[in-house]
Amino acid sequence: MAELSPDEPRPVEPERHVVARADGTTFAVTHRPGPAGAPVVLVVPAMGMPAGYYGKLLTALADAGLGAAVMEQRGHEAAGGSRPGWRHDFGYADLVDDIGQAVDLLGEVAPAAPAYLLGHSLGGQVGSVYAATNPDRLAGLALVAAGSVHWRPWGAGFLAMSQGMGLLARVVGHFPGTRVGFAGREARGVMTDWARFARTGRLRFGSPPVDHGPALRRLTMPLLAVSIEGDGLAPRRSVDGLAAMMPSADLTRIHLDVDGIDHFRWARSPEAVVATLTDWLG
């Protein structure tokens, strides 16, 4: 898909749509409409990341001739949400539900646009489950710096750390990520599910708990998995591990070795990722 030339009209300004959840909270989806018939890429943020962090990525996707959108992560809304704590808790299942509402919204505002999910880190984990359980709603799934946190490739030290984080969240009522230097203020349910994934290697969550492994293994849609050199939070083995949970998918596996980007900074310097994505879509 070619980039817009200087003589062509620039993408329209982003639209902000507010989505209401069943619990009375809301979250926003920022959408840059693309040309008629162009795919729309929905970005699902990493743990603790505000949607605004992905502004340059949305601009770059729009400049490449795509529709682009980013959803706010539960617990990290600019307005309308609730801070994680004893009175407000949620887990992976709720994050998957939010993705479903965001995809439904895009189906309303851009009904002719094939929808692709771009999951970053945690967003790739929950995005994979959404894709596996709703394969008819998406045209494809892209994972960028998103991997499995199963402890075996990481070692016993990671197992101990991950279980300690889950325990801390359950004791405090939330995970104080800004104090410990990992993520932000996160819900104890999210950290419990994350720690279970680290311990068991399975994406099993919800009430009652559901093991989504079988659905992931059945997924056959196009899958792009991108790892980044020097990414200590989602190294190659981790990205390979998450992709391997979807063995029936039509996998395109890319490793980027680009100066100046890492687990987070690729979204602020998105040229290499956007080029990879548009090649894959093309």
Side-chain angles (χ1 to χ4, degrees):
M1 189 169 295
E3 294 188 0
L4 295 176
S5 74
D7 297 328
E8 291 179 301
R10 309 310 295 168
V12 299
E13 289 300 308
E15 305 166 346
R16 186 176 185 274
H17 302 274
V18 176
V19 181
R21 302 187 184 101
D23 65 0
T25 62
T26 62
F27 69 98
V29 175
T30 301
H31 174 223
R32 281 184 173 269
V40 58
V41 178
L42 173 63
V43 179
V44 185
M47 184 184 291
M49 298 303 293
Y53 185 81
Y54 300 90
K56 289 185 177 180
L57 173 61
L58 258 61
T59 299
L61 290 168
D63 286 347
L66 299 167
V70 62
M71 59 181 291
E72 289 183 316
Q73 183 186 135
R74 189 178 289 231
H76 298 278
E77 304 92 341
S82 294
R83 280 162 55 88
W86 287 116
R87 294 184 178 181
H88 186 65
D89 187 36
F90 51 88
Y92 274 34
D94 301 291
L95 303 184
V96 173
D97 288 345
D98 287 353
I99 294 173
Q101 288 193 266
V103 172
D104 289 345
L105 170 73
L106 292 178
E108 295 173 4
V109 300
Y116 289 79
L117 210 63
L118 190 162
H120 177 203
S121 198
L122 171 67
Q125 296 170 18
V126 293
S128 295
V129 172
Y130 176 79
T133 53
N134 299 272
D136 58 326
R137 302 290 291 127
L138 298 174
L141 172 66
L143 307 174
V144 180
S148 168
V149 294
H150 189 210
W151 71 273
R152 289 192 180 277
W154 299 81
F158 179 83
L159 175 62
M161 180 191 72
S162 64
Q163 301 316 293
M165 288 180 173
L167 177 61
L168 177 62
R170 293 193 295 275
V171 169
V172 176
H174 68 276
F175 180 68
T178 52
R179 294 188 178 185
V180 303
F182 181 84
R185 182 182 175 116
E186 309 299 336
R188 64 186 181 278
V190 167
M191 297 308 296
T192 297
D193 291 338
W194 181 84
R196 184 186 303 110
F197 187 18
R199 184 174 66 253
T200 66
R202 293 189 295 167
L203 282 164
R204 181 177 183 272
F205 52 80
S207 181
V210 175
D211 183 357
H212 295 285
L216 288 164
R217 290 191 290 273
R218 290 192 298 267
L219 185 66
T220 59
M221 70 174 54
L223 171 64
L224 172 67
V226 180
S227 55
I228 297 170
E229 184 68 22
D231 183 354
L233 295 176
R236 286 192 194 201
R237 64 184 182 275
S238 172
V239 175
D240 288 338
L242 182 57
M245 297 178 74
M246 296 168 275
S248 300
D250 182 10
L251 175 64
T252 299
R253 181 70 176 85
I254 301 292
H255 181 74
L256 295 178
D257 189 352
V258 179
D259 289 341
I261 65 173
D262 58 16
H263 186 73
F264 293 109
R265 288 187 292 172
W266 69 267
R268 293 294 181 91
S269 298
E271 294 80 11
V273 167
V274 171
T276 299
L277 185 66
T278 51
D279 285 347
W280 175 64
L281 290 171

